[in-house]
Amino acid sequence: MDVLHSLSAFLGYLLSILTSPSTLLLLFGSTILGIVFGALPGLTATLGVALLTTLTYSLDTGPALVSLLGIYVGAVYGGSYGSIMINIPGTAAAAATALDGYPKALRGEAGVAIGLTTTASFLGTMVGMFFVVVFTPIISFLALQFTSFEFFLLAFFGILISGSISTPDLVQKGWIAGFFGLFLAVVGRDPLQFYPRFTLGFPQLEGGIEVVPVLIGAFGIPQIIQVLKDRFVTAKAQQVGRVIPSWNKIIHNIPHIVRSALIGVGIGAVPGIGEDIAAWVSYGTAKNTSKHPELFGTGCDEGIIASETANNACIGGAMIPLLSLGIPGSPPAAMLLGALLLHGIAPGPMLHVEQPTFVFQVSAILLMASAAMYISGILLAPQVVKLLRVPPALFMPIVAVLCLIGSYALGLKIFNLYLMVPIGILAYYMGELGYPIPPLVIGVILGTMADENLRRALMVSQGSFLPFVTRPVALLLLLVIVATIITSTSTFKTLKAQWQKRGAST
Amino acid sequence: MMDKSKLRGADFITSLFLIAFGVWILVQAFQMPMKDTYGGVVNVWYVSPALFPLFIGIGIILLALNILVHALKTGGYQVFREFLLTKKKVHITEKGYRFLAILVPLLSLVYMNLPRIDFFLSILMFLLFFIPVFYFDDFPLLKKLLVFYSIEMGVLFLLFLTGIDRTLTRSFRYTLDILTLGLIMALYLFIRSCIGGQEDYRRKLRHALLISILTPLFLVPVFRFFLRVPLPKEGGIVDLLFILYYAIR
């Protein structure tokens, strides 16, 4: 597909959104809903996408995608409201924003801070979208050259890297979570020989465990338990005043924006790593490279811009591996993958062959969603901020009901609920014990891909493992996997520390 | 996440559980066709359905062993031993009660009420307990409400266990709905009696009641009439909404 064709497809989708009042209504509605979801502490972008998946199930793919991406973009941005107004981040992605957003609000500049986050988030999403357009077709093209060897290694690498980065404690815990996800994925009849595996005699398990109820359970139930058990309270919100999009400050901070957006896209493209890590890394980098690092934490603009640009740019980054390889880049993208599968779209290298314009459709929606987010943010922020007064005890029970009906409605199986609740409770305990949830989810999603491709690869090679080292891409992936494992071991970390110590003393 | 001092003790015991889990996966995998014939297909080891589970089982065991060694090195066993020695009596903390106040309604809703009681009423009963119990933010009241709600769920459990519900609904289809409605009323009256004349609590209860009614009133039409999703159990109230919906249409 040449550049002109791509551009015309992109513009065509843009026009189709702009000229359809119902789609525009859906776009603005879901984006505002996303902002509300993000703003309310305890509700996350993942949960928003999860709950909307059920409601958009009966819609056509286009409108469903508009609403899902709308809520995703809105929720990642909306998290900053809580950070700025009450010093409680609406989502984990906005935690870094609180460091400078809240002090700014205390100085009576809440409107300026929200104006900055709105503009930074808008620009971040736009940069992310640009990378989706440019890199997804390239990676898809490269991935078409992959065989089962590479796909198995890619799936395994996704689980490993997600486990390594998202773990709050020992790296082994992240990997175990990933392996547990893989285990959940193999439950059911095996796809090659139809042999029932780990079904424990339950006929309902023969078809395998459905991904969406697992995702809703793993992300929704722990959130509900945590918020209600740990008595999440709302604080008195600061006065917001007029939301001012300060373009002067934005232009002055263009280098920060570019760097933060690149960090956001890069981290987003790593499987299973979400917007929160992107925001923290970007904030840390901005502070380390600043001429006035002492101003960070006192309400400085660079801090706000760094975290908010990165977390929204991460959305585009997360879409790149999702669309090109079928590997979600972040937890909300994992949920989006579940939704796409429900709509009969299988993201991966073949997507670019079967539906060559799909990437441009996603990009056009991202562009429109970021515009909707910007307009809604500037106009509605003072109203949305009022919702911060609503105590979580009022809305969390409703979220619980939505999680339940959502899990049930997708397959019309009450058994999905029977599975979702224990998985949710288990995920809660895993979180308490330092086992991260994203690798588990990535494992559930990539398990089938890893299983099928491992066996297919060995069938092709008639049981030989040699192609893993003779095929260049497979070898490269294998080396990266080995490097990831080695660099995560405590022996390596001790040696590295000793080496650094020696370097410093000499 | 748990604090680090307790975490290593927990790591010690969880790693043992994980090793056992990994072994169970391996045992199950070894029972799968490896080289023998299954369904007329002669197997070779690399197409066996056991291959990937073996990989997972071994992976979990190795990683859990790693965590076990780390826990032992960092005093995890001592922490766990101390925990066992000092824990003479089971004492439920406030957080523990709050956790129970989440689990009891959630588990009873999913495993007991949703498949058997009218969807509208199940959700109403769930929310009428779940919202006030946390919205009041009053620990003694939470304990009282939790006991009362657990008794109500116990009554329903006995009905379902003994099969009385089937006998009741055989004579009149909506008997169970009427009974549930009675339990909802009893719960509401109990909460009212507990909070007495405290205006703040009464206001909160009004909010909770309103949300408890509005939520299923919104969800039932959306899912049943617009998305055409058959609800897990459609009883008296859903039937009534059906009549209303078709009367309006």
Side-chain angles (χ1 to χ4, degrees):
Chain A
M1 217 182 172
D2 60 33
V3 179
L4 265 182
H5 269 107
S6 310
L7 194 67
S8 68
F10 178 73
L11 291 174
Y13 280 118
L14 265 187
L15 265 179
S16 70
I17 297 170
L18 280 168
T19 51
S20 161
S22 61
T23 313
L24 275 178
L25 196 70
L26 201 63
L27 177 77
F28 273 89
S30 52
T31 310
I32 294 168
L33 189 68
I35 296 174
V36 171
F37 240 81
L40 290 172
L43 299 183
T44 60
T46 316
L47 207 54
V49 178
L51 298 178
L52 209 62
T53 299
T54 321
L55 290 171
T56 55
Y57 181 46
S58 61
L59 295 179
D60 287 336
T61 311
L65 213 54
V66 165
S67 23
L68 293 170
L69 285 172
I71 201 166
Y72 186 5
V73 171
V76 173
Y77 154 71
S80 63
Y81 286 22
S83 299
I84 294 168
M85 303 308 293
I86 54 175
N87 202 21
I88 298 171
T91 58
T97 311
L99 296 180
D100 283 289
Y102 188 63
K104 208 168 178 66
L106 287 179
R107 291 204 303 253
E109 294 177 56
V112 179
I114 291 182
L116 274 178
T117 59
T118 310
T119 319
S121 299
F122 170 71
L123 293 173
T125 316
M126 297 289 280
V127 175
M129 180 220 69
F130 173 76
F131 276 86
V132 173
V133 176
V134 174
F135 281 98
T136 309
I138 297 171
I139 296 173
S140 293
F141 175 74
L142 291 175
L144 279 174
Q145 321 300 317
F146 288 8
T147 60
S148 298
F149 294 96
E150 286 83 10
F151 275 113
F152 167 71
L153 290 171
L154 203 63
F156 190 52
F157 170 69
I159 292 155
L160 272 188
I161 194 77
S162 149
S164 303
I165 300 179
S166 63
T167 185
D169 191 29
L170 302 172
V171 72
Q172 291 88 338
K173 290 186 176 182
W175 295 343
I176 282 195
F179 272 90
F180 185 65
L182 289 178
F183 167 75
L184 290 179
V186 298
V187 172
R189 289 220 175 237
D190 121 73
L192 291 186
Q193 294 190 9
F194 218 53
Y195 185 85
R197 297 186 290 191
F198 308 104
T199 53
L200 306 170
F202 286 103
Q204 295 95 329
L205 283 176
E206 297 216 343
I209 293 176
E210 284 185 35
V211 174
V212 176
V214 172
L215 296 190
I216 296 180
F219 287 119
I221 304 283
Q223 198 69 25
I224 294 161
I225 296 176
Q226 216 155 25
V227 169
L228 294 177
K229 189 182 154 210
D230 296 341
R231 202 190 253 138
F232 225 74
V233 286
T234 44
K236 193 175 174 290
Q238 298 299 311
Q239 285 297 315
V240 68
R242 205 163 73 88
V243 176
I244 312 155
S246 177
W247 284 101
N248 276 345
K249 283 183 181 171
I250 293 291
I251 290 164
H252 182 70
N253 282 295
I254 285 289
H256 291 298
I257 290 173
V258 173
R259 188 192 50 226
S260 306
L262 291 177
I263 290 172
V265 172
I267 289 177
V270 179
I273 312 303
E275 290 77 14
D276 46 345
I277 293 173
W280 279 114
V281 172
S282 174
Y283 185 86
T285 314
K287 190 177 176 181
N288 290 337
T289 53
S290 171
K291 284 175 191 164
H292 302 286
E294 71 283 357
L295 291 179
F296 278 72
T298 60
C300 82
D301 298 339
E302 288 94 328
I304 297 173
I305 287 172
S307 61
E308 282 303 308
T309 310
N311 64 21
N312 269 72
C314 189
I315 299 172
M319 301 302 290
I320 298 171
L322 173 70
L323 296 175
S324 58
L325 303 168
I327 298 174
S330 67
M335 206 53 245
L336 205 61
L337 172 64
L340 287 175
L341 291 172
L342 284 173
H343 281 276
I345 293 166
M350 286 306 288
L351 182 68
H352 199 60
V353 177
E354 288 160 358
Q355 299 189 46
T357 59
F358 189 75
V359 172
F360 304 108
Q361 185 180 7
V362 170
S363 311
I365 296 170
L366 270 180
L367 175 79
M368 290 308 296
S370 58
M373 177 212 77
Y374 186 77
I375 297 167
S376 315
I378 296 294
L379 299 177
L380 298 177
Q383 278 68 41
V384 176
V385 159
K386 284 178 191 159
L387 286 174
L388 292 175
R389 291 182 208 144
V390 180
L394 269 184
F395 59 77
M396 271 311 188
I398 301 171
V399 171
V401 172
L402 290 174
C403 284
L404 294 175
I405 182 87
S407 288
Y408 163 78
L410 291 171
L412 296 183
K413 289 181 201 157
I414 201 91
F415 191 76
N416 280 350
L417 296 183
Y418 294 164
L419 276 179
M420 188 200 90
V421 173
I423 286 175
I425 294 170
L426 184 74
Y428 169 75
Y429 276 112
M430 282 174 71
E432 287 288 291
L433 294 167
Y435 292 83
I437 302 306
L440 182 146
V441 169
I442 300 283
V444 173
I445 289 169
L446 300 182
T448 315
M449 175 179 160
D451 182 19
E452 281 180 26
N453 282 294
L454 173 66
R455 285 194 282 164
R456 202 175 293 143
L458 290 172
M459 270 161 78
V460 171
S461 67
Q462 297 202 314
S464 166
F465 285 94
L466 259 184
F468 280 113
V469 286
T470 53
R471 293 183 58 85
V473 180
L475 179 65
L476 182 74
L477 281 166
L478 196 65
L479 289 175
V480 174
I481 287 170
V482 172
T484 309
I485 295 171
I486 290 174
T487 51
S488 306
T489 57
S490 51
T491 321
F492 177 83
K493 283 176 185 162
T494 319
L495 283 174
K496 193 182 161 195
Q498 280 174 357
W499 185 71
Q500 278 173 341
K501 215 173 166 183
R502 205 177 299 158
S505 61
T506 53
Chain B
M1 200 177 79
M2 229 177 239
D3 72 275
K4 291 264 167 162
S5 58
K6 285 182 190 166
L7 193 59
R8 296 299 160 236
D11 280 353
F12 170 74
I13 190 73
T14 34
S15 60
L16 291 178
F17 274 115
L18 282 166
I19 291 168
F21 178 59
V23 170
W24 177 76
I25 293 177
L26 291 186
V27 170
Q28 294 287 315
F30 280 118
Q31 288 168 8
M32 294 174 192
M34 301 278 269
K35 279 185 159 182
D36 41 336
T37 309
Y38 176 72
V41 180
V42 181
N43 250 322
V44 272
W45 67 268
Y46 48 83
V47 228
S48 164
L51 184 68
F52 201 57
L54 283 175
F55 172 74
I56 297 170
I58 292 168
I60 289 179
I61 292 172
L62 290 177
L63 291 168
L65 274 172
N66 222 305
I67 295 175
L68 179 67
V69 170
H70 184 268
L72 288 173
K73 273 185 189 170
T74 48
Y77 175 67
Q78 281 77 9
V79 175
F80 180 66
R81 201 164 156 259
E82 267 171 42
F83 170 79
L84 285 183
L85 290 174
T86 51
K87 204 87 179 172
K88 283 176 186 155
K89 201 176 137 192
V90 178
H91 170 71
I92 306 174
T93 57
E94 184 179 341
K95 272 197 174 180
Y97 271 104
R98 291 176 78 87
F99 190 46
L100 279 177
I102 298 166
L103 283 194
V104 170
L106 195 64
L107 296 178
S108 53
L109 177 72
V110 170
Y111 293 99
M112 196 170 74
N113 299 349
L114 271 181
R116 294 176 184 87
I117 300 172
D118 178 76
F119 179 79
F120 188 102
L121 291 173
S122 302
I123 300 298
L124 173 59
M125 185 153 64
F126 170 76
L127 290 177
L128 193 59
F129 168 74
F130 208 27
I131 297 176
V133 85
F134 291 104
Y135 192 30
F136 289 146
D137 202 14
D138 181 326
F139 180 51
L141 192 55
L142 179 142
K143 279 209 283 191
K144 272 190 206 168
L145 294 185
L146 180 60
V147 170
F148 188 82
Y149 189 76
S150 302
I151 292 170
E152 285 200 336
M153 291 303 110
V155 170
L156 284 174
F157 180 70
L158 279 177
L159 276 183
F160 298 134
L161 192 72
T162 52
I164 296 173
D165 62 312
R166 281 193 295 273
T167 319
L168 288 173
T169 45
R170 219 172 288 141
S171 51
F172 180 57
R173 210 183 138 204
Y174 300 125
T175 318
L176 200 60
D177 298 335
I178 294 167
L179 185 79
T180 312
L181 213 52
L183 290 174
I184 293 169
M185 297 266 278
L187 177 66
Y188 177 75
L189 292 173
F190 181 74
I191 302 174
R192 276 290 297 264
S193 71
C194 284
I195 60 177
Q198 298 178 69
E199 192 40 48
D200 183 39
Y201 280 22
R202 289 177 75 133
R203 182 182 54 83
K204 284 182 174 177
L205 182 60
R206 278 198 300 275
H207 288 170
L209 182 66
L210 193 69
I211 294 170
S212 305
I213 294 171
L214 286 179
T215 305
L217 199 60
F218 171 75
L219 288 179
V220 171
V222 166
F223 279 90
R224 189 65 188 97
F225 307 135
F226 298 117
L227 297 174
R228 306 211 178 275
V229 172
L231 297 167
K233 175 78 186 176
E234 296 177 356
I237 307 291
V238 175
D239 286 353
L240 188 70
L241 288 172
F242 250 108
I243 295 167
L244 282 173
Y245 176 71
Y246 284 108
I248 296 165
R249 250 180 114 205

